[in-house]
Amino acid sequence: HKSAAKTVDEINRDRLFHLRRACESTNNGGKYTIESSFYIHVKNESLLYCLVFKSGTTTWFYNINRWAGISEDTILDHKTDNFMLARMKYPWENPRVLLTSMKNTYSFIVVRDPFERLISAYEERLLGQLHPYFTNLSHQIYTRYHDDGNLFGIPSFQDFARYVVDQFRNEKPSDLHWRPINDLCTPCLARYDSIIKMETFARDVEHLANRTNLHGKIKPVQMNHSRRDSVDTLIEKYFSQLTKQQFDDLYDIYRIDFELFQYSSDKYSQFVKETT
């Protein structure tokens, strides 16, 4: 098996090379200007991070805000908006400045299998309902697809998938927790030194630490509530609710993410209902 012999450095180079090629074949993911809202330039550590919600943001916010001198209690308080907190110390850069920063800074993105990210967002935001906004959204989604007179209900994953597709079709902005990576970070217009994947997170973060002056400075943190079921169980449970058409519509929204970061939708499509 050849890939076993690859170093983390080689794997990272492969990911970057693949990204460039996939960007060429997708016309830069259909983007023309860099979306700079979600890049955080940590000047004192010479680091530039594009955050993809539901992809290791807890760890990165924890470290970035800790380096800024913010107390651990504040960072780990579930009421804290860590993105806003980081923004106070590391202000937004306009696209032109950002592109210059990228040339002189170690820049990276953390990505995740698009549908696993979707499952995670559904479980944590819509089922977890830790935040009034998402409790309200859950009920809205439920009542939109169920005409049973109930004003309150928990949307199924199928309801959620339909909602994501409908919002996309009606050109409504999608929630940051499930917005495609291509829309959050416009990766085709960026220059990255490192693509960290959630699937190999610890190893990739260590690689980044060795390449920067951050060795010993990055503390891992686990804040997300542990799952009751394994990912494989959830994939079957949720994707078997979708019709072929619903699956295709959903895939279409995340297709570019799948292509840019070498993910495959096969492990999901095998569970989709064959009948229409």
Side-chain angles (χ1 to χ4, degrees):
H1 192 64
K2 210 169 95 223
S3 66
K6 279 193 174 172
T7 64
V8 181
D9 204 46
E10 286 168 330
I11 290 166
N12 185 53
R13 276 206 299 271
D14 287 349
R15 288 174 184 174
L16 292 166
F17 181 68
H18 175 88
L19 176 63
R20 276 202 303 278
R21 290 206 4 219
C23 285
E24 282 167 22
S25 68
T26 58
N27 187 23
N28 280 344
K31 303 292 181 186
Y32 302 97
T33 49
I34 194 161
E35 170 56 76
S36 53
S37 313
F38 305 105
Y39 284 89
I40 294 181
H41 184 190
V42 187
K43 285 188 176 160
N44 46 343
E45 303 295 349
S46 196
L47 201 63
L48 185 66
Y49 163 47
C50 191
L51 59 114
V52 173
F53 295 85
K54 303 301 308 155
S55 298
T57 48
T58 307
T59 292
W60 285 107
F61 278 143
Y62 172 75
N63 286 285
I64 287 168
N65 284 330
R66 203 169 50 96
W67 297 333
I70 292 159
S71 82
E72 191 159 313
D73 287 346
T74 304
I75 299 169
L76 295 178
D77 184 340
H78 69 90
K79 289 193 283 292
T80 301
D81 184 333
N82 274 296
F83 182 38
M84 296 307 290
L85 207 57
R87 265 289 171 256
M88 285 156 70
K89 169 82 180 178
Y90 310 107
W92 179 81
E93 294 184 335
N94 74 44
R96 201 183 63 251
V97 174
L98 180 67
L99 290 168
T100 308
S101 300
M102 273 177 187
K103 290 196 183 89
N104 316 311
T105 310
Y106 194 94
S107 67
F108 72 102
I109 184 173
V110 183
V111 301
R112 183 179 191 176
D113 177 308
F115 284 165
E116 226 173 87
R117 208 180 136 225
L118 206 58
I119 287 173
S120 175
Y122 169 71
E123 290 247 301
E124 196 189 314
R125 300 287 151 180
L126 298 183
L127 299 187
Q129 299 192 359
L130 296 171
H131 193 288
Y133 169 81
F134 287 105
T135 306
N136 193 23
L137 183 62
S138 283
H139 298 323
Q140 277 177 26
I141 294 173
Y142 180 83
T143 52
R144 184 188 286 200
Y145 301 108
H146 297 269
D147 192 11
D148 58 8
N150 285 331
L151 295 178
F152 304 102
I154 304 292
S156 66
F157 185 77
Q158 184 186 43
D159 297 337
F160 176 54
R162 286 174 69 184
Y163 171 76
V164 170
V165 169
D166 285 346
Q167 291 292 96
F168 181 76
R169 291 244 167 100
N170 298 320
E171 295 184 11
K172 299 246 176 38
S174 70
D175 188 281
L176 300 178
H177 294 90
W178 52 85
R179 188 172 299 174
I181 299 170
N182 187 46
D183 294 347
L184 284 170
C185 293
T186 50
C188 288
L189 304 175
R191 187 203 66 81
Y192 297 126
D193 295 289
S194 175
I195 295 173
I196 292 176
K197 289 193 168 187
M198 284 302 283
E199 295 77 11
T200 48
F201 190 71
R203 189 195 75 187
D204 295 348
V205 169
E206 190 183 355
H207 173 256
L208 176 140
N210 290 333
R211 286 259 167 281
T212 57
N213 56 355
L214 292 172
H215 207 70
K217 280 192 178 181
I218 304 174
K219 277 176 71 173
V221 58
Q222 186 58 44
M223 215 176 130
N224 291 343
H225 318 283
S226 54
R227 284 230 177 88
R228 291 176 304 284
D229 299 312
S230 74
V231 175
D232 292 339
T233 310
L234 292 174
I235 289 173
E236 180 167 6
K237 178 177 162 186
Y238 292 146
F239 279 79
S240 61
Q241 296 175 19
L242 304 186
T243 64
K244 175 86 170 68
Q245 186 61 57
Q246 286 167 340
F247 177 83
D248 290 347
D249 291 344
L250 196 62
Y251 178 74
D252 214 37
I253 296 173
Y254 295 94
R255 181 180 56 82
I256 289 175
D257 285 2
F258 276 99
E259 289 177 20
L260 299 184
F261 301 110
Q262 292 169 285
Y263 288 110
S264 161
S265 64
D266 295 350
K267 67 178 179 184
Y268 303 96
S269 57
Q270 62 173 326
F271 296 116
V272 173
K273 295 184 220 173
E274 280 310 310
T275 53
T276 45

